[in-house]
Amino acid sequence: MFSHESVPLISLFIIMLVCVLAAFLHPIHAFWSWVQRRKSRSSLERTEQVRKLYSR
């Protein structure tokens, strides 16, 4: 391999590494935010139910 080829290959490797990392982390992040939204929605519904129960 010639020395002038190393910089583009290293940059291509870094770009591919970032893409693979993003492809791996995106589903995990999406699932985690879905779980967080679901938790906050269910706790909000619970507080509204308690509020309705005691407002009578």
Side-chain angles (χ1 to χ4, degrees), residues 12-39:
L12 186 64
F13 175 75
I14 291 173
I15 291 170
M16 294 289 281
L17 190 64
V18 167
C19 290
V20 167
L21 190 63
F24 178 73
L25 289 179
H26 181 267
I28 294 171
H29 178 264
F31 178 72
W32 182 252
S33 4
W34 176 77
V35 168
Q36 292 296 325
R37 279 195 316 267
R38 188 172 168 157
K39 276 184 184 179

Side-chain angles (χ1 to χ4, degrees), residues 2 7-9 13 20 24 27 31 37 39 42-43 46-47 50 52-53:
F2 299 106
V7 173
L9 284 176
F13 175 75
V20 167
F24 178 73
F31 178 72
R37 279 195 316 267
K39 276 184 184 179
S42 69
S43 74
R46 254 187 258 125
T47 56
V50 169
K52 286 179 183 177
L53 195 107

